[in-house]
Amino acid sequence: MRINKKLFYGIIILIIIVIAAIIIKFFLVSEKSRILKVINEGKAAVEAEDVDRCMSYVSLQYSDDYGLKYLIVKRILIDVFKEFDGFKVLPDNIEIEVNKKEGTAVASFDLRIVVTLHNQPGYLVGSTDSPAKIKMHFIKERLKWQVVKVSGIRIPNL
């Protein structure tokens, strides 16, 4: 069986394009861009009130200064999503420091989260006058960045 030359060259060009896309995605995208993508995807997950999607960005090794672990954070999210509606996450002034050697990173930013309770908007995190100063710590696990610690968020009493 003989393959048409045009078809052969078309397949070769398609393979080259796919390989180039893989190289761009995995080798030329900066780690800061990947972390910023995690923050933005996490923001979208909170606004969608999707617990499982939120937790997909959190490491099973999560442990913070409040003594919270992965499962407790998941439970808090479930409770907060039940209690409030209309989440609007407003991060600002994002600065990211990456330590490639250790596979860690820290994102520092200002954060306000606006929610609705009984048709009344209010701030769950931060306020009109001052945002919460957040530090989000990441580790690289299984080729993706995951959150292992967050500081600067006061835990609401539910």
Side-chain angles (χ1 to χ4, degrees):
M1 183 170 117
R2 208 161 168 193
I3 297 178
N4 182 334
K5 274 188 172 182
K6 287 184 180 181
L7 177 62
F8 176 75
Y9 289 129
I11 291 172
I12 294 298
I13 289 171
L14 183 63
I15 290 171
I16 291 170
I17 290 171
V18 169
I19 290 171
I22 290 171
I23 289 171
I24 289 170
K25 179 173 172 77
F26 290 105
F27 298 110
L28 299 181
V29 176
S30 75
E31 296 299 334
K32 287 184 180 184
S33 296
R34 291 176 195 216
I35 292 168
L36 187 57
K37 183 179 177 188
V38 170
I39 292 169
N40 288 326
E41 288 175 357
K43 171 187 179 280
V46 169
E47 290 176 347
E49 299 180 37
D50 186 338
V51 174
D52 291 330
R53 205 165 98 206
C54 288
M55 295 309 294
S56 72
Y57 303 107
V58 178
S59 171
L60 292 173
Q61 299 176 39
Y62 184 92
S63 179
D64 63 24
D65 296 338
Y66 297 110
L68 300 179
K69 304 290 183 205
Y70 179 90
L71 291 175
I72 298 170
V73 170
K74 184 174 184 176
R75 185 71 216 167
I76 289 171
L77 278 177
I78 290 168
D79 292 345
V80 167
F81 289 160
K82 281 182 187 175
E83 186 76 22
F84 301 101
D85 294 309
F87 285 77
K88 186 69 180 161
V89 180
L90 306 166
D92 198 17
N93 303 321
I94 300 173
E95 295 179 12
I96 300 169
E97 296 177 23
V98 178
N99 185 334
K100 287 184 181 181
K101 192 173 189 177
E102 293 182 16
T104 61
V106 177
S108 302
F109 53 95
D110 297 334
L111 180 65
R112 291 180 176 95
I113 300 178
V114 180
V115 296
T116 304
L117 178 64
H118 306 299
N119 295 324
Q120 296 293 321
Y123 287 92
L124 182 64
V125 174
S127 67
T128 307
D129 299 330
S130 65
K133 304 290 185 191
I134 304 300
K135 279 199 177 192
M136 191 173 283
H137 301 259
F138 294 85
I139 61 170
K140 196 160 192 180
E141 292 181 333
R142 298 181 301 275
L143 300 176
K144 65 180 187 175
W145 289 99
Q146 293 203 294
V147 178
V148 289
K149 179 181 175 181
V150 176
S151 60
I153 295 180
R154 193 177 36 85
I155 301 171
N157 296 329
L158 300 176

